[in-house]
């Protein structure tokens, strides 16, 4: 799919920061020379460095996603001004392609809401919806076919390549979430020792749909050190992982926004077949 560059006043520096965040999220770059933590507190609710067993489960989470592909996902991004974008679909980590449907809701009276497409849409408070495809290079959007109630991957196959409006990623919360999501799966596990050395931390456990999960803050940026404050200088990424290394949720705190971008994983969708039409050439 051809990509259209979006200028919009965003600086290369912001783009570099976002790419650095994505890289840290998915590969746990190590801060050299740190010793792995081996003896830790027994307090199950206190924040602390990860044990090697916990680091191993976190390290397996990317491989588990890859092996489960195609994986059903949902993403919720708050764009500011009362505007919320929700995406539901599937990701195939073997091809690093994804397809879904999106809808935008906004508070009445919100000014200049951010939208997934560059084209003008309904005013805040009205519903905007359609189909979305994305990969490592960017995303494409198209209107949903009228009267078609099938799953997004099936509907997308009926839209020719020319029917998709494509663009590169920006630093907006939706784009950051989509870019993170497409990079999360991997065909091999991370190195648990490097994850521990890079500052991954175990947080207070959580529950989703009646099931317990361990919550982990991801590795910190290289050279970063803990500091005073509510987050202690931890990573803006939080992972919800089960006892087998299955990834259930990832949240990403975005600068200036009180509500993080949230990605939910619902397991393998064996029916899904990603469409070829949006990526066809010739």
């Amino acid at each position: 799919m051809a990509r259209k560059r979006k200028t919009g006043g965003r600086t290369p520096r912001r783009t570099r920061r976002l790419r650095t965040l994505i890289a840290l999220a998915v590969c746990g770059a190590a801060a050299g020379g740190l010793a792995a933590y081996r003896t830790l507190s027994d307090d199950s609710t206190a924040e602390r460095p990860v044990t090697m067993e916990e680091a191993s489960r976190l390290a397996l989470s990317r491989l588990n996603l890859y092996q489960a592909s195609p994986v059903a996902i949902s993403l919720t991004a708050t764009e500011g001004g009362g505007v919320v974008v929700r995406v539901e679909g599937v990701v195939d980590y073997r091809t690093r392609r994804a397809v879904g449907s999106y809808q935008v809701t906004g508070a009445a009276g919100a000014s200049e809401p951010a939208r997934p497409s560059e084209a003008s849409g309904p005013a805040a408070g009205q519903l905007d919806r359609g189909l979305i495809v994305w990969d490592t290079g960017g995303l494409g959007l198209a209107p949903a076919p009228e009267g078609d109630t099938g799953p997004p991957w099936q509907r997308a196959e009926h839209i020719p390549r020319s029917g998709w409006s494509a663009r590169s990623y920006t630093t907006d919360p939706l784009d950051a979430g989509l870019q993170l999501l497409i990079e999360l799966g991997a065909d091999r596990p991370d190195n648990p020792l490097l994850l521990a050395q890079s500052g991954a931390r175990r947080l207070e456990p959580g529950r989703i749909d009646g099931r317990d999960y361990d919550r982990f803050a991801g590795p910190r940026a290289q050279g970063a050190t803990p500091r005073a404050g509510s987050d202690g200088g931890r990573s803006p990424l939080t992972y919800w992982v089960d006892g087998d290394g299955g990834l259930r949720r990832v949240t990403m705190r975005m600068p200036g926004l009180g509500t993080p971008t949230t990605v939910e994983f619902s397991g393998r969708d064996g029916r899904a077949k990603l469409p070829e039409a949006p990526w066809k050439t010739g």
Side-chain angles (χ1 to χ4, degrees):
M1 177 183 296
R3 303 294 175 193
K4 298 179 183 178
R5 294 198 172 273
K6 184 177 179 180
T7 55
R10 294 178 171 82
T11 67
R13 180 176 297 177
R14 290 187 65 192
T15 301
R16 285 196 299 270
R17 284 202 298 266
L18 176 61
R19 289 175 179 169
T20 300
L21 174 61
I22 298 299
L24 288 170
V26 300
C27 62
L34 296 179
Y37 293 94
R38 300 179 187 275
T39 305
L40 300 167
S41 169
D42 291 332
D43 188 345
S44 62
T45 62
E47 178 181 338
R48 55 167 173 74
V50 293
T51 65
M52 289 308 299
E53 184 276 332
E54 290 165 345
S56 295
R57 281 193 287 126
L58 182 57
L60 277 174
S61 62
R62 298 183 67 207
L63 176 62
N64 287 337
L65 279 180
Y66 180 90
Q67 293 178 334
S69 294
V71 180
I73 62 89
S74 62
L75 180 151
T76 304
T78 301
E79 296 278 352
V83 175
V84 177
V85 185
R86 293 181 176 88
V87 176
E88 294 187 356
V90 292
V91 179
D92 188 339
Y93 286 106
R94 290 178 171 84
T95 61
R96 294 201 179 279
R97 291 177 176 177
V99 60
S101 60
Y102 75 87
Q103 64 174 2
V104 183
T105 57
S111 60
E112 298 184 358
R115 299 202 172 272
S117 64
E118 296 179 37
S120 60
Q126 295 180 334
L127 188 65
D128 180 23
R129 64 174 64 205
L131 297 177
I132 182 169
V133 294
W134 69 101
D135 55 24
T136 57
L139 61 94
L141 299 125
E146 292 292 337
D148 191 339
T149 59
W153 52 269
Q154 195 173 70
R155 286 182 280 166
E157 188 64 53
H158 301 305
I159 299 175
R161 184 173 181 272
S162 60
W164 294 92
S165 175
R167 64 171 173 81
S168 300
Y169 287 120
T170 71
T171 55
D172 289 334
L174 171 66
D175 290 25
L178 294 173
Q179 195 173 4
L180 169 68
L181 181 54
I182 202 69
E183 296 287 356
L184 278 172
D187 61 359
R188 66 194 66 186
D190 287 319
N191 185 320
L193 180 60
L194 297 186
L195 284 176
Q197 290 177 339
S198 300
R201 298 182 67 81
R202 184 182 182 278
L203 309 177
E204 183 178 352
R207 290 177 67 84
I208 303 175
D209 296 333
R211 184 175 179 182
D212 294 327
Y213 291 87
D214 285 324
R215 294 171 60 245
F216 300 106
R220 294 189 302 269
Q222 187 170 355
T225 56
R227 64 178 185 273
S230 59
D231 65 358
R234 78 168 77 105
S235 165
L237 295 153
T238 300
Y239 303 82
W240 299 60
V241 181
D242 66 20
D244 298 319
L247 191 58
R248 179 63 174 82
R249 174 184 291 171
V250 179
T251 60
M252 176 194 291
R253 299 193 313 276
M254 302 294 294
L257 294 177
T259 304
T261 295
T262 301
V263 175
E264 304 269 0
F265 298 93
S266 303
R268 176 177 173 81
D269 186 348
R271 306 169 305 152
K273 180 181 179 183
L274 266 71
E276 291 294 331
W279 288 278
K280 275 184 178 177
T281 58

